[in-house]
Amino acid sequence: MNGFKILTIAAMVAAGFAAQGAKAQSIVKIDGSSTVFPVTEAVAEEFQKAKKGAVRVTVGVSGTGGGFKKFCRGEIDISGASRPILAKEMEECKAAGIKYIELPVAFDALTVVANPKNAFLKQITVEELKKIWEPAAQGKITKWNQVNPAWPDAPIKLFGPGADSGTFDYFTEAINGKSKASRGDFTASEDDNVLVQGVSRDVNAIGYFGYAYYAENQDKLKAVPVVEKAGKPAVLPSQDTVMKGTYQPLSRPIFIYVAVKSADRPEVKEFIEFYMKEGGALAKEVKYVPLNAADYKHSLEIFTKRRTGTAFGGVPEVGVEVAELLKREPKE
Amino acid sequence: MNTVVASNKDRDLAAIRSLIQKHKRWDAMFGILGIVCLMVGVLTLIALFADMISTGGQRLSWEFFTNFPSRRAGQAGILAAWVGSTLVMVVTAATAIPLGVAAGVYLEEYAPKNWVTDLIEINVTNLAGVPSIVYGLLGLGIFVYTFGLGHSILTAGLTLALLILPVVIVATREAIRAIPQMVREGAYACGATTWQTVRDHIVPYSSAGILTGVIIGLARAIGETAPLIVVGAVTFIAFLPPASGTGEPAAGVFDWLFADFTVLPIQMFNWTSRPDANFHANAAAAGLVLVLMTLAMNGLAIWLRYRMRKNIKW
């Protein structure tokens, strides 16, 4: 039984070495939102190529909340977030002595989609979206003509992300006025591809998810132009409308949070500089909407000057302009 | 049957024949039912496998195994993932096999039969049914925070070792129980101690059964995602754990244990959740690799079992 003996010895030696603990390595550790992941991944990939492997970057996907938990424990250098840091998370970070810099990196446009065979849905107002999705609609609004008399007497099939998703939080906040306030009787999935399949197979379906999932499936889906208020034009989500700020209220900035202590390390500093310079083009490549060039410049300045804290003060907002955000005096 | 026939002379041969016929029909029907049940499982597996080959087959290339993940589906590979999976499995096997076998041997050969042993037995059996995410939380609390092992390969391997430990223990015990009592009696009669009996007879004779249990356990562990995400496996990683003696300054023999990592199921999960359909093909290809790795482990087990059986001379 030599095999067993060797394995036993190996296990014992391993346990002995375990006590040494991990060595300090020059790794840029990033975690957080799955929405920010594609952008950060692209930046990390290019950054490592540019550095010829001298700097190492890891990117995890723990979700915005999970990312902040690790961030405020000091386990990671950068946390990706699809919503601004909340008051509770600010306190956690403060208690641990973690200071951070908040940097917007791109836009995600929540896209309202319908089946391409749907002929009557030319546009939809925020008011109508609210009628469909508000908690009071549960079990009551089941036909299209209940929302708008001009629409047919056909059942309405709803598809949306699950309640753990940041997309769900933002949509409910923007449309229903309160985060997480939504009807519950819709087909929910954490996997947006399931929602894509669902809407593409049902003529009477309507759903919402991140722009990238629409952009990759334009042959199977139709985006519905959204009217923010009466009197305003119906706007389709696109690079252009999101950057100009006319696609409202469903476009949102996504962020990274950098720990100040980590920012002093040269590899983290270089990574952020790279992110602010190349992030826009890479965001576009992975089907996100980049910020305006001036905003990236402004963000880099905020980083260089180490202006710590959040521009939101722990309360998420809907429809803020990035340029305006960056002008605010951040709070900790 | 004979007595029935003898005592009941009124019954003619035809009736008996029809009875036998009826029983044979039932027998055949049960056989068919069994085949149908078997086919449900086998055909599902074949369909799944065929689907993975048709979606991901053309992605399998040398580059797929030697490339790191990328935002471009065509260039993305599973190098970090398969190396991570393999190393985590090495740690898991190196921990779970000695611990599990020792625990199983103790429970069968040494433990006194009392209520404490019963309690332990019940707990071990129950542990096999605990959801894997619970082991993830346990690993996070013990290995990451209490022992300070970090979000490393070592933590992941130890966590999965805990996960499969009940499987290994139960399999070990089953295998030991299958050894005839006379083997032990013979050994003891010659004056062997319990340890000598265990070392020279019990463990070698039961090793084939133990191996089966270990492989079942490892096959479960290699497909786990949730506990590894909890203990901090990353999704994007474009470097390998340091091989000993390489790099500047040269890495130690055990440095790889503390490296960041990802595993195949996590890479697959990330790819399936992407909007770009090309990544779904990558996920299918990674799934194929995972299935093949499991098959390879099974193959190795069968081969080892065959060799071990040859060496046993009762």
Side-chain angles (χ1 to χ4, degrees):
Chain A
M1 280 290 87
N2 264 328
F4 283 133
K5 264 186 207 162
I6 291 165
L7 286 177
T8 316
I9 293 164
M12 276 159 53
V13 176
F17 271 77
Q20 282 192 341
K23 274 189 188 171
Q25 288 158 315
S26 66
I27 296 179
V28 181
K29 292 198 176 196
I30 308 171
D31 209 319
S33 165
S34 57
T35 308
V36 189
F37 176 81
V39 183
T40 305
E41 183 201 42
V43 175
E45 188 186 348
E46 285 309 310
F47 179 66
Q48 287 183 112
K49 258 186 217 156
K51 289 267 130 201
K52 301 210 164 50
V55 179
R56 302 172 152 193
V57 185
T58 64
V59 192
V61 183
S62 302
T64 302
F68 275 128
K69 267 200 189 110
K70 284 187 178 173
F71 186 74
C72 294
R73 271 199 220 110
E75 291 172 13
I76 52 174
D77 303 309
I78 298 166
S79 189
S82 63
R83 55 156 172 79
I85 189 167
L86 299 176
K88 210 175 123 243
E89 291 156 346
M90 289 167 71
E91 274 166 39
E92 267 173 47
C93 271
K94 206 175 212 172
I98 305 273
K99 290 192 168 194
Y100 48 84
I101 306 159
E102 176 185 76
L103 302 169
V105 291
F107 288 106
D108 182 27
L110 305 199
T111 306
V112 178
V113 293
N115 191 283
K117 286 198 192 114
N118 183 327
F120 61 87
L121 202 58
K122 302 269 186 338
Q123 62 176 61
I124 197 162
T125 65
V126 169
E127 198 64 25
E128 285 160 346
L129 279 172
K130 188 177 180 195
K131 250 189 199 169
I132 296 174
W133 286 99
E134 68 186 347
Q138 179 148 348
K140 284 189 192 134
I141 305 293
T142 52
K143 296 200 163 158
W144 282 100
N145 61 356
Q146 288 173 298
V147 184
N148 184 334
W151 292 340
D153 180 15
I156 187 165
K157 299 277 177 59
L158 298 170
F159 293 85
D164 286 336
S165 135
T167 309
F168 174 80
D169 289 0
Y170 191 87
F171 184 85
T172 46
E173 170 109 39
I175 298 299
N176 299 335
K178 192 165 174 283
S179 181
K180 291 199 190 293
S182 166
R183 70 190 295 174
D185 54 346
F186 64 95
T187 307
S189 175
E190 300 297 342
D191 183 352
D192 290 336
N193 287 314
V194 173
L195 303 178
V196 170
Q197 293 299 332
V199 176
S200 67
R201 279 178 195 159
D202 194 329
V203 185
N204 293 311
I206 184 168
Y208 65 92
F209 38 72
Y211 180 73
Y213 288 86
Y214 162 68
E216 292 285 3
N217 294 289
Q218 294 189 22
D219 51 333
K220 290 187 223 159
L221 300 168
K222 155 176 137 175
V224 185
V226 176
V227 182
E228 189 190 1
K229 277 180 213 136
K232 286 208 172 187
V235 183
L236 264 180
S238 70
Q239 301 272 342
D240 201 41
T241 56
V242 173
M243 278 176 88
K244 277 191 189 140
T246 51
Y247 184 67
Q248 289 293 359
L250 291 177
S251 68
R252 57 169 178 171
I254 53 178
F255 304 90
I256 55 171
Y257 287 75
V258 191
V260 168
K261 253 183 225 161
S262 307
D264 292 335
R265 284 178 18 223
E267 66 269 19
V268 177
K269 185 173 156 277
E270 278 174 61
F271 179 76
I272 296 296
E273 285 166 3
F274 191 86
Y275 208 138
M276 292 302 127
K277 275 189 198 117
E278 311 291 333
L282 291 168
K284 202 169 175 181
E285 199 187 319
V286 293
K287 303 281 172 5
Y288 281 62
V289 180
L291 308 178
N292 295 300
D295 293 336
Y296 283 114
K297 244 185 212 162
H298 200 162
S299 294
L300 186 57
E301 213 173 285
I302 287 178
F303 174 75
T304 318
K305 288 186 182 156
R306 302 280 193 276
R307 275 173 57 192
T308 59
T310 167
F312 292 89
V315 191
E317 289 169 52
V318 166
V320 278
E321 268 188 41
V322 170
E324 194 254 304
L325 265 186
L326 294 171
K327 277 185 206 134
R328 288 187 195 170
E329 192 55 45
K331 289 174 228 155
E332 281 181 35
Chain B
M1 244 354 164
N2 276 336
T3 51
V4 177
V5 177
S7 64
N8 200 344
K9 286 175 185 168
D10 311 348
R11 250 196 201 164
D12 63 338
L13 215 58
I16 297 169
R17 282 207 175 118
S18 91
L19 188 70
I20 292 173
Q21 213 60 53
K22 204 173 128 196
H23 286 170
K24 277 193 173 161
R25 258 202 316 276
W26 274 108
D27 204 29
M29 271 165 72
F30 186 78
I32 291 168
L33 184 74
I35 291 176
V36 170
C37 290
L38 182 72
M39 280 302 137
V40 170
V42 173
L43 288 180
T44 311
L45 189 71
I46 291 175
L48 217 62
F49 206 68
D51 183 51
M52 281 200 291
I53 291 177
S54 75
T55 343
Q58 84 279 7
R59 284 291 297 127
L60 287 179
S61 63
W62 180 249
E63 282 74 35
F64 190 64
F65 288 90
T66 55
N67 279 5
F68 286 114
S70 165
R71 66 181 182 284
R72 298 193 184 98
Q75 291 168 18
I78 54 166
L79 178 59
W82 76 256
V83 171
S85 272
T86 310
L87 292 178
V88 169
M89 281 307 109
V90 167
V91 176
T92 302
T95 319
I97 295 172
L99 284 180
V101 172
V105 166
Y106 173 80
L107 284 173
E108 279 304 312
E109 300 293 322
Y110 287 85
K113 297 276 172 254
N114 58 24
W115 65 272
V116 182
T117 315
D118 286 347
L119 198 68
I120 292 173
E121 280 189 35
I122 293 169
N123 272 308
V124 168
T125 322
N126 277 337
L127 277 177
V130 171
S132 57
I133 186 94
V134 176
Y135 286 97
L137 293 170
L138 185 75
L140 183 71
I142 295 182
F143 301 125
V144 179
Y145 293 128
T146 311
F147 293 168
L149 302 183
H151 305 291
S152 58
I153 290 177
L154 181 62
T155 302
L158 292 177
T159 305
L160 292 185
L162 287 186
L163 177 79
I164 68 166
L165 208 48
V167 181
V168 178
I169 294 175
V170 170
T172 304
R173 300 187 57 190
E174 296 292 331
I176 289 176
R177 268 185 226 154
I179 298 171
Q181 194 59 28
M182 63 175 189
V183 171
R184 290 184 193 83
E185 282 163 359
Y188 290 137
C190 294
T193 60
T194 311
W195 168 238
Q196 284 169 326
T197 314
V198 164
R199 189 190 59 195
D200 296 331
H201 301 282
I202 304 295
V203 170
Y205 302 162
S206 59
S207 55
I210 293 174
L211 213 57
T212 311
V214 167
I215 294 300
I216 292 172
L218 288 179
R220 180 182 170 189
I222 202 171
E224 282 294 343
T225 319
L228 296 184
I229 290 182
V230 173
V231 300
V234 297
T235 305
F236 173 84
I237 180 164
F239 55 89
L240 292 178
S244 71
T246 60
E248 272 305 317
V253 184
F254 294 105
D255 278 3
W256 60 270
L257 284 169
F258 300 101
D260 292 281
F261 69 101
T262 192
V263 290
L264 276 167
I266 293 180
Q267 185 66 71
M268 270 180 77
F269 176 69
N270 176 260
W271 280 340
T272 51
S273 66
R274 297 248 183 166
D276 183 355
N278 291 329
F279 278 111
H280 304 167
N282 283 2
L288 265 182
V289 174
L290 196 62
V291 172
L292 292 178
M293 277 173 87
T294 317
L295 275 180
M297 284 195 319
N298 275 311
L300 183 73
I302 291 168
W303 180 72
L304 280 174
R305 214 152 52 196
Y306 171 74
R307 279 203 43 183
M308 282 170 178
R309 284 225 177 101
K310 260 202 337 200
N311 291 338
I312 294 173
K313 293 182 189 75
W314 293 92

